[in-house]
Amino acid sequence: MAEISGTAKLPSSGDKHGEATERLWVAFVTGVIVLLVAVVVYTSVHWGFHPPSQVETIESTSLHKGGEFAEANLGTAIAPDGSAVVRVVAQQYAFIPNCLVVPAGKPVTIRLASADVVHGFIVEGTNVNAMVVPGYVTTVRTTFQEPGERLMPCHEFCGVGHQAMWAHVRVVDASSFPNDADKQKAVNCAS
Ligand code: CUA
């Protein structure tokens, strides 16, 4: 057995250069941490960014067989109070429907489910930015203030066709929304 020597040399108190470097490093790391916390606070308070909080499960392999994400339900449905619920399926390599239509100035809830792998989506110029994990429903709430056309790309690498996976979001004036409230039918840009 090796003998343990008690004479290990501690840095001498005269090692001013080493100590200064250490203090500089501590200050730098502290600065990085403060900056990261500031970014999180700024984006969540100022831009309204927040992680999707609902943990709602769904059977990804049978979305097409019926239920909330059956084909006939995909698109935008308008509630009596004028708010909108948009249901979208993400799959390699498209969003269905690939052009969403939403009313401007009204609360919009977007619900996405993946039929295969992990996808992501972001709507340019808005606080809509989330992952779509198979087995879970991703719910994002927002309000689109200005009418116009916005891109909604997939931002999570999902396979060889990833870079071609994107949809459009068409924000229209609430009064010209192509809604048939009586039929409660989900609509998209083609409606
Ligand atoms: Cu879907 Cu990348």
Side-chain angles (χ1 to χ4, degrees):
M1 193 196 277
E3 267 183 53
I4 297 169
S5 161
T7 58
K9 191 173 177 292
L10 292 168
S12 80
S13 57
D15 189 2
K16 291 287 183 221
H17 178 71
E19 197 178 314
T21 309
E22 197 79 359
R23 284 186 191 284
L24 200 63
W25 180 244
V26 168
F28 174 73
V29 172
T30 306
V32 168
I33 292 169
V34 168
L35 178 69
L36 291 178
V37 170
V39 166
V40 169
V41 170
Y42 179 75
T43 55
S44 58
V45 173
H46 183 74
W47 288 344
F49 278 14
H50 50 83
S53 52
Q54 249 173 320
V55 181
E56 198 182 324
T57 58
I58 192 162
E59 182 51 65
S60 286
T61 52
S62 57
L63 293 178
H64 59 287
K65 290 181 183 161
E68 179 179 350
F69 290 91
E71 201 176 343
N73 295 332
L74 299 182
T76 306
I78 300 290
D81 67 358
S83 67
V85 179
V86 189
R87 294 186 175 85
V88 181
V89 167
Q91 64 177 42
Q92 290 167 319
Y93 297 100
F95 293 101
I96 306 166
N98 68 5
C99 183
L100 318 178
V101 60
V102 294
K106 301 279 187 185
V108 174
T109 301
I110 308 174
R111 288 171 61 79
L112 267 90
S114 168
D116 39 48
V117 300
V118 176
H119 300 276
F121 71 111
I122 182 168
V123 181
E124 55 160 359
T126 72
N127 65 343
V128 177
N129 181 350
M131 286 171 75
V132 190
V133 180
Y136 295 91
V137 178
T138 297
T139 303
V140 179
R141 291 182 183 83
T142 192
T143 301
F144 297 94
Q145 300 297 352
E146 296 293 324
E149 191 106 4
R150 294 178 182 278
L151 283 177
M152 185 179 113
C154 175
H155 64 37
E156 203 66 52
F157 183 77
C158 53
V160 291
H162 162 69
Q163 76 281 357
M165 179 171 174
W166 42 265
H168 289 274
V169 177
R170 185 172 296 163
V171 185
V172 300
D173 203 80
S175 59
S176 59
F177 189 82
N179 175 43
D180 188 340
D182 298 333
K183 293 178 184 165
Q184 291 288 310
K185 198 174 164 294
V187 295
N188 58 51
C189 296
S191 300

